[in-house]
Amino acid sequence: MVPPGYDPTGRQKACGMAVTKEQVLACLQGIKSPEGIPLPDTGTLSDVVATDGKVFFSISVDAAHVKAWEAVRQRAEEAVRALPGVQSALVALTAERKAGASPARPPPAGARPAPRGDSVQGVPGVEAIIAVASGKGGVGKSTTAVNLALGLASLGLRVGILDADIYGPSLPKLLAIKERPQTLGGTRLKPITRYGLTVMSIGFLIDEETPMIWRGPMVISALTQMLREVEWGALDVMVVDMPPGTGDAQLTMAQQVPLKGAVIVSTPQDLALIDARRGIAMFKRVNVPVLGVIENMSYFLCPHCGTRSDIFSHGGARHEAERLGVPFLGEVPLHMTIREKSDAGLPVVATEPDGPHAKIYRDIAARVRDQLKGGAGRAAPKIVIE
Ligand SMILES: Nc1ncnc2c1ncn2[C@@H]1O[C@H](COP(=O)(O)OP(=O)(O)O)[C@@H](O)[C@H]1O
Ligand SMILES: [Mg+2]
């Protein structure tokens, strides 16, 4: 039990009003960049999160200038910590971009997106990074990500999978991983290998007790760590299981990861499709090509008689993909075997490679590979955003 007036870490809560984002930004006006510009005017700040006296934001600078900025980061953190109503402040310095690139911050709502282009540095040794995303949770995004990764591996590609779903890291469960990654030389992490996949999960870095509100901002530095401080080795494809939704955390991630493309998972219901549409719009907004849409739980296959029923009016995602001018990658049925195998850490593509479900995922994987080979998105995608 946390006594009243104390936070879960046992610290006494600050009295009076909690600090606001505006107060933090006003305070940061007094902190100057190495060039002498007030910090909020430098275009390096992420969104500032100020919740219950906890403040978090990140400063994104060119890799070449990190040393000079570390002192700025420290001064900013100290200044914010000294504000009345602040219990804790965490300022992360991220060095993501090449010199001269534009700042990697989410564009404010309604603003024209900053072209992402080559501004985000790739991960050495990793040929292509693709996101598996969904407009909302529970649509089978992680199950699809795992089986897609295994499908790509079955095509002879070297594949890694990164679980970046801050709201529900699920790779430890879906791949039955109980061990923790070891550190190499004290700083770099050695990923786990399972079913031939190189695996890393944000679940290894953020414990389940961390409150939701705190996880969103944390993801920026955790994600950088998982991309840059893990020995991924040589990979043809890295599949990233993204957090569901299209909010700030997702948008920031879409910008921070050097994505070759995104795969959107949706169920066929109208409501899920509205969310999927938002997901497609989000990736287009940050200039990440949408490799295609997968309809999951597309139709129900009775495990007893094999009869097929379209319980969610199947085909909605295919129709939606056509309407939005993005490829349709395939339909995965709602099937007990997929659920049971998935939740037991025995993904169907690895454990029932000759079964009908594995074939469906392999076909989808082949389409994704072809999209990547064909340089999806090099031609300007048809943009239909509502
Ligand atoms: N095609 C499918 N058929 C049956 N169950 C599925 C299918 N896809 C996912 N599931 C089940 O649905 C639940 C949610 O899937 P999950 O992959 O964790 O979704 P998300 O990552 O979108 O939250 C899990 O219990 C999973 O086993
Ligand atoms: Mg998941």
Side-chain angles (χ1 to χ4, degrees):
M1 264 299 287
V2 180
Y6 286 81
D7 71 12
T9 64
R11 260 205 289 179
Q12 196 164 10
K13 282 186 178 171
C15 312
M17 296 283 283
V19 71
T20 64
K21 175 176 164 176
E22 288 68 32
Q23 288 166 328
V24 173
L25 285 170
C27 154
L28 293 176
Q29 281 290 340
I31 306 293
K32 302 286 191 300
S33 75
E35 295 82 29
I37 303 166
L39 197 48
D41 303 335
T42 54
T44 60
L45 291 188
S46 69
D47 202 15
V48 172
V49 178
T51 314
D52 293 338
K54 300 188 184 91
V55 179
F56 177 90
F57 59 91
S58 71
I59 307 175
S60 292
V61 299
D62 295 334
H65 303 147
V66 168
K67 280 222 174 85
W69 277 88
E70 174 52 26
V72 179
R73 185 202 69 77
Q74 277 180 24
R75 284 204 302 278
E77 202 172 77
E78 279 159 21
V80 172
R81 208 170 273 151
L83 282 175
V86 171
Q87 275 179 58
S88 64
L90 180 62
V91 181
L93 184 61
T94 56
E96 285 288 327
R97 289 157 300 110
K98 287 176 192 155
S102 58
R105 56 187 296 207
R112 281 187 72 79
R116 207 185 57 115
D118 296 327
S119 59
V120 188
Q121 272 175 17
V123 177
V126 179
E127 196 61 35
I129 305 181
I130 61 172
V132 175
S134 66
K136 62 170 194 164
V139 300
K141 175 173 55 62
S142 301
T143 303
T144 309
V146 165
N147 284 296
L148 170 63
L150 289 164
L152 289 164
S154 76
L155 299 172
L157 300 174
R158 295 163 301 177
V159 184
I161 182 161
L162 167 55
D163 182 2
D165 187 344
I166 34 169
Y167 305 111
S170 38
L171 290 196
K173 182 178 167 203
L174 297 187
L175 292 168
I177 295 172
K178 298 217 167 53
E179 65 263 43
R180 288 282 172 265
Q182 295 173 339
T183 52
L184 296 165
T187 50
R188 295 182 72 75
L189 284 175
K190 187 171 177 284
I192 308 281
T193 304
R194 188 67 93 245
Y195 301 119
L197 302 176
T198 307
V199 188
M200 183 68 201
S201 171
I202 199 163
F204 301 149
L205 301 180
I206 291 180
D207 74 72
E208 278 174 35
E209 305 299 309
T210 307
M212 270 321 164
I213 191 75
W214 202 220
R215 289 188 192 185
M218 255 185 183
V219 79
I220 304 165
S221 47
L223 189 65
T224 309
Q225 232 183 318
M226 289 195 296
L227 284 174
R228 318 257 169 229
E229 292 166 25
V230 169
E231 284 294 335
W232 285 103
L235 295 178
D236 296 306
V237 186
M238 183 195 288
V239 174
V240 185
D241 185 1
M242 299 280 281
T246 49
D248 274 355
Q250 290 84 352
L251 189 61
T252 305
M253 285 178 71
Q255 286 185 305
Q256 297 274 330
V257 184
L259 294 171
K260 271 264 165 68
V263 170
I264 310 281
V265 180
S266 181
T267 53
Q269 301 98 312
D270 287 346
L271 278 177
L273 286 168
I274 292 171
D275 289 315
R277 204 175 301 156
R278 289 204 188 101
I280 294 171
M282 177 182 82
F283 283 106
K284 286 190 167 174
R285 194 174 162 206
V286 292
N287 289 343
V288 172
V290 176
L291 300 173
V293 176
I294 298 173
E295 184 167 281
N296 189 37
M297 310 189 192
S298 180
Y299 50 91
F300 176 66
L301 265 189
C302 174
H304 306 295
C305 62
T307 309
R308 167 182 171 147
S309 18
D310 295 342
I311 48 177
F312 297 136
S313 68
H314 125 275
R318 178 191 289 274
H319 179 74
E320 198 59 34
E322 277 166 13
R323 213 174 68 79
L324 296 175
V326 299
F328 183 68
L329 297 168
E331 298 165 350
V332 180
L334 175 69
H335 199 283
M336 193 58 116
T337 305
I338 298 181
R339 196 195 68 69
E340 283 176 353
K341 291 278 180 181
S342 188
D343 294 350
L346 303 164
V348 283
V349 173
T351 59
E352 292 190 359
D354 301 324
H357 309 306
K359 179 171 182 333
I360 289 171
Y361 285 116
R362 274 197 307 271
D363 289 348
I364 290 175
R367 278 179 212 118
V368 168
R369 177 201 53 193
D370 294 345
Q371 286 290 319
L372 285 171
K373 260 203 224 150
R378 236 176 255 159
K382 187 172 129 196
I383 298 190
V384 187
I385 298 176
E386 288 150 20

